[in-house]
Amino acid sequence: LTLKERAQFARAKRANLLISLHHDSVQPKYLSAWIYEQRRLSYCDRFHGYSIFYSERNGNPKASSEFAHLLGEELRNSGFVPSLHHAENIKGERRQLLDAKLGTYRFDDLVVLKSSAMPAVLIEAGIIVNRAEEVRLADPKSQKLMAASISRAVVWFSLND
């Protein structure tokens, strides 16, 4: 499904919340090359961490922002750290950082967010081109810890909805 179709699907299913989960990268200027298993790959070990985005163009921006905050708190409480590189004043970034401690950003033009009628966030779970973070993101224990953090945020959000 395209990003817009995902939002339409959530609406058709009468979802109360949309969470779009992704792996992040970095701007091309930060990428370096290395050879791994006889393949040339790109990497950037400079940045790591998660990022959470919400859009004011969403069908429910206030609740989206509130959920982003709850989610950031749960991720931090579980030991995850945010990435702040999206706030850099460079082409392709310049996102409005709302809370550096929680890793929350406002990004109004993300299609899946602005196309959603219900509260919605996009989570960049980590920076996949960071070699150490790629290993962490593939670790089932780390995945379960992140999933549990997301689940707790959903429960808190649902209780206060």
Side-chain angles (χ1 to χ4, degrees), residues 4 13 15 18 21 38 40 48 51 78 83 88 95 97 103 126-127 155:
K4 194 169 191 174
K13 295 293 182 181
L18 178 89
L21 184 60
Q38 300 177 351
R40 183 181 170 89
H48 67 282
S51 302
S78 294
S83 175
E88 282 193 286
R95 307 296 170 225
L97 180 62
I127 299 176
V155 168

Side-chain angles (χ1 to χ4, degrees), residues 24-31 44 46-47 51 53 83-97 105-110 124 127 129:
D24 206 356
S25 189
V26 298
Q27 294 300 320
K29 76 181 230 168
Y30 292 123
L31 292 173
C44 174
R46 177 176 172 180
F47 304 106
S51 302
F53 298 92
S83 175
L84 305 179
H85 79 280
H86 293 292
E88 282 193 286
N89 188 20
I90 62 169
K91 184 179 179 184
E93 297 300 343
R94 298 186 186 104
R95 307 296 170 225
Q96 182 181 354
L97 180 62
Y105 293 87
R106 176 179 168 180
F107 188 177
D108 291 341
D109 288 328
L110 284 171
E124 297 284 7
I127 299 176
V129 294

Side-chain angles (χ1 to χ4, degrees), residues 41-113:
L41 302 172
S42 296
Y43 77 97
C44 174
D45 293 338
R46 177 176 172 180
F47 304 106
H48 67 282
Y50 70 86
S51 302
I52 304 167
F53 298 92
Y54 94 99
S55 171
E56 278 292 324
R57 293 185 183 159
N58 169 266
N60 194 336
K62 183 177 185 291
S64 296
S65 175
E66 290 169 0
F67 180 72
H69 184 87
L70 277 171
L71 180 56
E73 286 181 338
E74 288 298 332
L75 290 170
R76 288 290 296 186
N77 290 341
S78 294
F80 293 101
V81 296
S83 175
L84 305 179
H85 79 280
H86 293 292
E88 282 193 286
N89 188 20
I90 62 169
K91 184 179 179 184
E93 297 300 343
R94 298 186 186 104
R95 307 296 170 225
Q96 182 181 354
L97 180 62
L98 301 173
D99 190 321
K101 185 179 102 184
L102 301 179
T104 56
Y105 293 87
R106 176 179 168 180
F107 188 177
D108 291 341
D109 288 328
L110 284 171
V111 171
V112 72
L113 300 182

